[in-house]
Amino acid sequence: MKNKRSVGEVALSSPAAILAGYTALLARSSRMLAYVHARDWFNLVEEQTSYAIEVETLANAESEFELNAHERKRKMELLEQILEQDLEIRQRLEQRQNELQELIGTNTRKRDLSRAYGTLIPFSSSPQ
């Protein structure tokens, strides 16, 4: 069973462990980005759920430790990479949302035309 104060397999018990936690978050963020590229929405959602929990756990644990200047610098580097990936993930999710909205709109129009004119218009299949 996982320790409540852990990120991935990292027990958050020291400043070095806090940095390891941020490194684990970066790895999770990288997996999320890979899932977005692969259009693997199910695994993306699963990964995002764990990511959100680990961010909160890390933030709570970090308040107990004082990071030195070098550790703070490394934390900022990791956060910058995480935020860059987060931005790309969000942009790609917005594209996906737009695709789905367009598909829903097209299918709704086809359904409405079919009802109005009594003809069957095939619906488009869902894109990946």
Side-chain angles (χ1 to χ4, degrees):
M1 184 173 190
K2 268 189 189 179
N3 180 335
K4 275 181 109 175
R5 292 178 23 105
S6 66
V7 171
E9 300 300 317
V10 179
L12 302 173
S13 58
S14 69
I18 296 295
L19 290 178
Y22 278 103
T23 301
L25 281 179
L26 178 59
R28 188 172 297 280
S29 174
S30 296
R31 285 190 301 274
M32 288 167 40
L33 186 57
Y35 290 138
V36 166
H37 284 283
R39 300 174 70 88
D40 184 347
W41 311 118
F42 178 80
N43 283 317
L44 174 64
V45 170
E46 293 288 316
E47 201 73 31
Q48 283 179 318
T49 301
S50 296
Y51 178 87
I53 292 167
E54 290 180 358
V55 165
E56 184 176 340
T57 301
L58 185 58
N60 290 335
E62 185 177 1
S63 66
E64 297 178 21
F65 299 100
E66 182 77 27
L67 301 179
N68 65 33
H70 174 73
E71 292 164 337
R72 284 191 305 273
K73 182 177 185 260
R74 179 64 183 143
K75 174 187 164 184
M76 294 310 294
E77 291 167 352
L78 292 166
L79 281 173
E80 186 176 313
Q81 292 174 353
I82 290 168
L83 291 173
E84 286 174 9
Q85 290 181 345
D86 183 61
L87 177 61
E88 184 176 350
I89 291 166
R90 288 178 189 273
Q91 289 170 339
R92 290 182 178 260
L93 285 174
E94 285 177 14
Q95 290 171 350
R96 176 64 175 161
Q97 182 180 16
N98 291 338
E99 290 170 5
L100 291 173
Q101 287 174 339
E102 186 176 312
L103 179 63
I104 289 168
T106 299
N107 285 338
T108 299
R109 285 188 296 279
K110 286 181 180 182
R111 184 197 66 218
D112 292 346
L113 285 171
S114 180
R115 285 180 181 164
Y117 294 103
T119 59
L120 294 176
I121 300 171
F123 291 104
S124 300
S125 62
S126 168
Q128 293 273 336

